[in-house]
Amino acid sequence: MPSPFSRRLMVLSLLSMLLLLITGYLGLRYAEQDQLLAQHRLAAERDQQALLALRVDLQTLLSAEESQLALLDAQAEQLSEQAQELALYRQVLSPVGGELLLTQEEVVALAEPGMFAYRLVLFQPTQSSQKITGQARLSVRALHKEHSVILTDDMLGVAPVSLDFRHFQVLTGQLRLPVDSQARTLELRLTLNNRADRTLSLNWPIPDNT
């Protein structure tokens, strides 16, 4: 019969073997987990790189689309301007009539309340070589607190314009309508050196001044 010391040795040996087995198993599991974690890291890095590549491709496509849209808008604006210029030249070179005419190219409300930018064209629709010289002053017929008034260029903050043209002259600038004023008519008062003075008018193009 084994002695108590022998039994202790046997127990210790079994415990040592069991501990070695557990250690080995845990080592294998750790190695597997470490390998699996490394694989996941590599997969995550590949996914991140693929996502970055997709983002770059998407940004490139969006930039190209924005550039294309900007180009189309610029071309459309250019075509519109060319069409307006062609219509104007046709009127200017028309042999019919000799009176001065005023055409509205653009009246735009600005961000500041009451402020407007304007672009007007004054022309004589004839092939005459006679020059038009003189001065033009802009005014606006408006309703101010339910009363009809004439807003002069001083009240609008617009300086007089010197005229010197044979076919047409473009008048551009900004004006300010007084508070509680509703514009109805744009008027251009002409003081001419070689013709009788006259006033040309256009309906105010912006409803409710907005």
Side-chain angles (χ1 to χ4, degrees), residues 38-57:
Q39 292 175 354
H40 284 312
R41 286 176 178 172
L42 289 174
E45 290 176 357
R46 287 195 298 267
D47 292 342
Q48 186 176 11
Q49 291 175 356
L51 181 59
L52 289 175
L54 288 175
R55 287 179 178 175
V56 171
D57 292 341

Side-chain angles (χ1 to χ4, degrees), residues 75-92:
Q75 290 176 344
E77 183 177 357
Q78 184 179 9
L79 288 174
S80 177
E81 292 176 355
Q82 289 175 351
Q84 291 178 357
E85 290 176 359
L86 179 59
L88 176 61
Y89 282 124
R90 284 176 176 173
Q91 289 177 309
V92 169

